[in-house]
Amino acid sequence: MTAVVQARVFPNSYRDSVELMRIAAELESLDGVLRAGLVMATSANCEVLTEAGLFVDALAGAGPNDLAIAVSATDDAAAGAALELAASRLGGQATEAAGPAHRTDARTLAEAVAELSHADLVLVSTPGPYATAEAMKALKRGLHVFLFSDNVPLADEIELKDLARRKGLLLMGPDCGTAILDGVPLGFANAVRRGSVGLVAASGTGLQQVSCLVDRLGAGISQAIGVGGRDLDERVGGVMMLAGIERLVADPGTAVLVLISKPPADSVAKAVLEVAARAGKPVVVNFLGGDPEAIRSMGLIAAPTFEAAAEAAAAIALGQPLPAAMDLSAYDPTAPDGQALLAAAASAATTLREGQWRIRGLYSGGSLAGEAKLILKSVLGADATRHEILDLGDDEYTVGRPHPMIDPRLRNEHITAAGADPDTAVILLDVVLGYGSQDDPAGAMVPAIEDARAAATAAGRSVAVVASVCGTEADPQGLSDQERRLAGAGVLLAPSNARAARLAAAIAELAAQAGPAMAQAGSLGAIAEASTAGMRP
Amino acid sequence: MSATAVRPWTAPAAVVSAVLPARLEASRQGRIHSLYRSAIDVVLPNGDLIVIADPALGGLPNGVLVDLGPDHRRLGLGPDQPVFLGARSIEVPAIGLRISLDSAVRWSPELAVAHDGASLRWRGRSRSVRTHAAAGARLGEPVACEGLGGLLTADRPRALPIHAARAAAVLDQLAAALPTDDVDAAGRIARRLVGLGPGLTPSGDDALIGLAAALRAMGHPAQGFLDEAIDDAAVRTTAVAASLLRHAAAGEFSERLQRLLGALLGDDDAPIAPAIEQAVAWGATSGTDCLVGVLLGLDIAAAPVPQAAGFTR
């Protein structure tokens, strides 16, 4: 039998040695393969391949930074199949370095504009100290700016936004996490359907939550403009929210506007609401924790939660009547999922032991954490401050670490610790999907949830875990897939952050009411009834 | 347009090679060369590589140690992306990453020369260390012996891979040449090890680094042999290995290698076996290959008469 040898070169390819040995062993286990060699094609190794009878012409041009794979087999088909398998194994984790002939990346804004002359927007994501200069250059060239960078001084923000306003451009940011412009997602954005709801938001995860819920309700997004969390600060003056409103008013694809922000400074709120009142289109306003009467008095629709904002906007976009329940703490037990949620809360509460009372909210989204705090305050009153809602994406927690939407480790540590704390009754979580987020945020969280449960069980307790997933089916991670993973870990799922927070509050409230009698509670219905009364305004 | 950018973030480096900040400042800019689970290689304009590595890897002569998460291949980086370099920071704009060097411990990669008496001590323990090394290499089988591990398990039948047999022959010639203090001649022999064998740092290169470290630790006059051997390393071996060989020629070695030599030449016998076990666990074959060079170098440097060491005799 005469052996045949085939070889292939992977230029500028670097693989861990263990991985290469594993692949070599796999190739040699194939039928018909006699021998396989995977080495860097140095001259010394080419001599070794020659001595081994594995050097063929295909390797002649290879250099020391090229990976050479040579296979000796009983026939061409077996050798070819082995090389194909090797290629597929190596393709899984490509780490090819740049070869001598490669594309030239633009190194400056000027080079980028020269290469892409029709571009009208620049995404700036340099570290803060350099961001202002790059954003300024872009504005001076007449380009809109999506300023992803944080740590940009307030004075710089004011100067940049003033220039943008004078030039009729958008300066989205700084610290702008997300936007969707003409269907193009920027930063941490979700894959939502296009439609007639236009958003202007000074809140990253608020924008994501509203856009995802609008999508889920059957409507879609025309434009979603992020303006940065400080835009409605008195010193900035809401310059970009005003510019965003003007653009959406002029946009024929936008039928209804949604404005999202923390409560603005009074003077800024007045200016924004006055412009919104003249929009000539329905405007839903969610100034989280702000005064709804000030909004209603201008003829605008006040939405106390992101979910309420999405429901109102989607209803208008779809030509449906506005939903009635618009109060922050309102919870309707007659709603389709009302009884189910209450039953879930009652069921979770009955497993708690005396002394378990605290809600521990561990959030990756700052605006979602803010919304949860408001809901707890509304439902639990002064007691809400005894609970703990952490925004783990805050600078306080991300120094030297990636944001928890990228790296799960910090939050996982907190989840595990929460499970071990005898006070903990409920762990409340957000899971944010979309571009830029982790590949499998729910999957990354499940081991920590299991650890938390195990710690509680070992101490003779149980702990309720409540979560909502902010995302869509079209997101890279897939909404239902992520929800399945969480449900598999025994997590109580709510369709929105607001409902998740209410569910957590209901469990805590039931635990507080039942106290030591909880474990012996004979009537879940009575507990549920008491809770319903307590949750109503 | 896709949206894969991430928020700017700063990671404080835990450790930086003391020789690196000045080189970073001089280089100003580099590009991502290659990505691994625990390391990111950055190529400088002069072709040298620096390594941004997980702290678990220990000090590297061309390295910055910083915790960037469990898998550096999943940070969203790609080859050829620009990296901005300075004495105080390394910035990777593609992922908004700034690695601050301000609070990093300055670790010296310069290998200290062992104190008097090391030769005598080594002669007394050489045989037992080789026994430990053989046991370590067996523990690491079959992976360790894909490299030069077979040279350590001397009581086994010699069914060496081709590259290991070639390396053994070269090492034996080096064992004869180095004691003569003809550094250039030894360098020309050693050149045949450059780029030989499996791995990103081919086994022959690892052995040369171990050999150079041992000769330097013992203050041997032939320690300069590597200058001649790596004269054309850039075209004879991988960029990763060539960079490490250049550092070795300058007397700069990894913390792991320094620890190994510290254990082998220390006053106490107890750390020797664990140090060898740890060495064999470096990478796939690198630790074992390096150990081969270290043992040869120590034997050469400590020998009372020339030609006392080798692998085939």
Side-chain angles (χ1 to χ4, degrees):
Chain A
M1 181 177 61
T2 305
V4 298
V5 177
Q6 291 186 16
R8 193 176 292 182
V9 176
F10 293 78
N12 296 295
S13 190
Y14 298 91
R15 294 298 191 291
D16 178 78
S17 305
V18 175
E19 185 186 354
L20 294 181
M21 288 175 192
R22 184 170 42 75
I23 295 171
E26 188 177 1
L27 300 188
E28 288 183 347
S29 72
L30 297 176
D31 284 344
V33 173
L34 305 172
R35 194 157 180 208
L38 287 78
V39 290
M40 301 307 287
T42 62
S43 52
N45 283 340
C46 287
E47 288 174 18
V48 170
L49 289 174
T50 302
E51 186 176 335
L54 289 173
F55 191 89
V56 291
D57 288 347
L59 301 177
N65 291 304
D66 302 332
L67 173 62
I69 301 183
V71 175
S72 162
T74 52
D75 55 54
D76 282 327
L83 286 178
E84 283 306 312
L85 177 66
S88 71
R89 292 287 182 265
L90 292 169
Q93 290 174 338
T95 53
E96 288 183 15
H102 55 80
R103 67 187 165 79
T104 55
D105 282 339
R107 298 181 186 207
T108 65
L109 185 60
E111 287 177 15
V113 170
E115 277 188 29
L116 207 62
S117 58
H118 60 283
D120 63 357
L121 180 142
V122 175
L123 191 157
V124 177
S125 182
T126 63
Y130 308 102
T132 302
E134 294 304 316
M136 191 65 80
K137 281 185 219 165
L139 292 172
K140 287 180 177 172
R141 286 176 172 271
L143 301 166
H144 300 293
V145 174
F146 180 92
L147 187 48
F148 199 72
S149 312
D150 58 5
N151 294 313
V152 174
L154 182 66
D156 289 5
E157 178 175 354
I158 292 169
E159 187 182 354
L160 288 168
K161 288 188 169 174
D162 182 56
L163 177 62
R165 181 185 57 77
R166 286 187 278 119
K167 293 181 77 85
L169 297 167
L170 289 174
L171 185 289
M172 290 169 276
D175 200 14
C176 187
T178 180
I180 303 170
L181 303 175
D182 294 331
V184 178
L186 300 172
F188 293 103
N190 299 91
V192 295
R193 74 165 64 85
R194 299 209 65 189
S196 61
V197 178
L199 312 180
V200 190
S203 148
T205 44
L207 186 153
Q208 287 189 265
Q209 174 81 106
V210 173
S211 61
C212 289
L213 293 175
V214 164
D215 177 279
R216 219 179 294 174
L217 290 163
I221 302 299
S222 57
Q223 311 286 346
I225 301 169
V227 296
R230 295 188 304 214
D231 189 67
L232 279 76
D233 182 286
E234 191 157 28
R235 292 161 291 182
V236 183
V239 178
M240 282 302 124
M241 182 160 276
L242 292 169
I245 294 170
E246 285 173 13
R247 285 185 172 267
L248 293 184
V249 168
D251 175 23
T254 298
V256 52
L257 283 69
V258 181
L259 312 181
I260 304 166
S261 173
K262 296 189 289 279
D266 286 346
S267 60
V268 178
K270 186 166 179 289
V272 168
L273 294 178
E274 282 177 2
V275 169
R278 296 196 300 270
K281 297 179 181 180
V283 181
V284 179
V285 182
N286 167 241
F287 285 163
L288 210 54
D291 175 14
E293 278 313 310
I295 296 165
R296 291 189 191 114
S297 68
M298 300 293 286
L300 308 170
I301 301 160
T305 63
F306 299 133
E307 181 184 37
E311 285 175 345
I316 294 167
L318 298 171
Q320 297 167 351
L322 277 177
M326 276 287 168
D327 195 281
L328 190 65
S329 63
Y331 182 73
D332 182 3
T334 65
D337 67 338
Q339 288 298 334
L341 185 146
L342 215 49
S347 174
T350 54
T351 66
L352 301 175
R353 292 180 57 187
E354 185 180 359
Q356 284 186 268
W357 58 273
R358 193 193 292 270
I359 298 169
R360 293 194 186 277
L362 303 172
Y363 275 84
S364 61
S367 300
L368 298 176
E371 185 186 46
K373 281 183 190 171
L374 279 173
I375 287 169
L376 295 195
K377 186 178 172 191
S378 175
V379 175
L380 302 173
D383 277 354
T385 56
R386 300 171 65 218
H387 299 277
E388 181 180 69
I389 303 291
L390 298 182
D391 168 16
L392 296 172
D394 189 77
D395 291 349
E396 178 187 351
Y397 298 100
T398 56
V399 175
R401 288 175 181 263
H403 193 278
M405 277 159 64
I406 303 167
D407 184 338
R409 289 179 297 170
L410 174 66
R411 175 151 69 171
N412 282 350
E413 289 167 13
H414 279 264
I415 291 171
T416 305
D421 188 328
D423 288 349
T424 306
V426 185
I427 300 173
L428 175 61
L429 304 166
D430 65 338
V431 180
V432 181
L433 312 184
Y435 303 106
S437 287
Q438 302 161 59
D439 293 344
D440 179 14
M445 196 183 280
V446 164
I449 292 170
E450 289 170 345
D451 286 348
R453 287 190 186 289
T457 302
R461 305 187 303 272
S462 70
V463 63
V465 184
V466 176
S468 66
V469 182
C470 174
T472 70
E473 289 302 337
D475 278 332
Q477 303 88 349
L479 174 65
S480 54
D481 183 55
Q482 291 291 296
E483 287 187 332
R484 252 196 313 276
R485 285 172 191 270
L486 293 170
V491 175
L492 296 170
L493 287 166
S496 69
N497 178 60
R499 286 179 198 240
R502 285 192 192 114
L503 175 53
I507 295 170
E509 203 175 31
L510 287 168
Q513 287 169 8
M518 182 67 76
Q520 295 86 38
S523 170
L524 290 182
I527 295 169
E529 200 171 305
S531 167
T532 306
M535 290 172 73
R536 282 186 171 282
Chain B
M1 194 184 312
S2 66
T4 54
V6 297
R7 267 173 214 281
W9 51 294
T10 297
V15 176
V16 61
S17 167
V19 301
L20 210 52
R23 294 177 192 177
L24 296 176
E25 185 70 15
S27 299
R28 311 293 294 176
Q29 190 168 348
R31 300 185 86 74
I32 300 290
H33 177 268
S34 44
L35 302 161
Y36 311 95
R37 177 179 293 278
S38 303
I40 301 165
D41 283 352
V42 175
V43 61
L44 306 183
N46 67 0
D48 268 347
L49 293 188
I50 65 161
V51 187
I52 299 167
D54 190 271
L57 268 59
L60 301 166
N62 57 344
V64 173
L65 304 184
V66 55
D67 183 0
L68 296 179
D71 191 341
H72 295 182
R73 296 169 302 188
R74 297 174 70 88
L75 288 170
L77 285 169
D80 209 29
Q81 288 170 336
V83 180
F84 298 106
L85 309 166
R88 297 184 58 191
S89 68
I90 296 172
E91 292 174 12
V92 191
I95 57 168
L97 169 62
R98 178 177 180 275
I99 297 170
S100 168
L101 307 181
D102 286 343
S103 58
V105 171
R106 260 53 175 178
W107 166 81
S108 174
E110 289 183 21
L111 182 63
V113 177
H115 53 76
D116 292 344
S119 291
L120 195 60
R121 191 177 305 115
W122 177 253
R123 284 204 294 275
R125 64 174 48 147
S126 171
R127 186 176 297 276
S128 68
V129 169
R130 283 193 177 252
T131 305
H132 282 306
R138 281 191 209 102
L139 277 177
E141 285 181 325
V143 173
C145 293
E146 290 285 335
L148 305 182
L151 305 190
L152 295 174
T153 55
D155 57 330
R156 304 203 134 195
R158 292 292 179 91
L160 292 174
I162 295 171
H163 62 266
R166 286 180 171 227
V170 177
L171 289 168
D172 281 349
Q173 291 175 39
L174 273 176
L178 284 166
T180 67
D181 296 345
D182 184 348
V183 173
D184 290 345
R188 285 192 295 276
I189 294 168
R191 201 166 163 271
R192 288 155 49 197
L193 286 174
V194 174
L196 176 63
L200 280 172
T201 48
S203 297
D205 298 322
D206 280 320
L208 282 175
I209 290 168
L211 176 58
L215 294 179
R216 184 175 180 85
M218 300 289 272
H220 193 275
Q223 59 185 279
F225 82 99
L226 201 54
D227 289 329
E228 170 73 17
I230 66 167
D231 186 39
D232 56 354
V235 295
R236 292 178 63 83
T237 190
T238 65
V240 177
S243 187
L244 290 174
L245 285 168
R246 281 193 286 270
H247 281 281
E252 296 161 3
F253 299 92
S254 71
E255 185 179 1
R256 297 194 291 201
L257 186 46
Q258 293 190 31
R259 284 183 189 277
L260 173 66
L261 280 161
L264 296 183
L265 298 176
D267 295 333
D268 189 1
D269 286 342
I272 291 176
I276 287 173
E277 279 181 31
Q278 287 168 14
V280 171
W282 304 341
T285 64
S286 282
T288 308
D289 298 338
C290 206
L291 185 59
V292 166
V294 165
L295 298 183
L296 177 63
L298 293 178
D299 281 349
I300 290 170
V305 292
Q307 300 190 21
F311 284 98
T312 56
R313 65 176 56 83

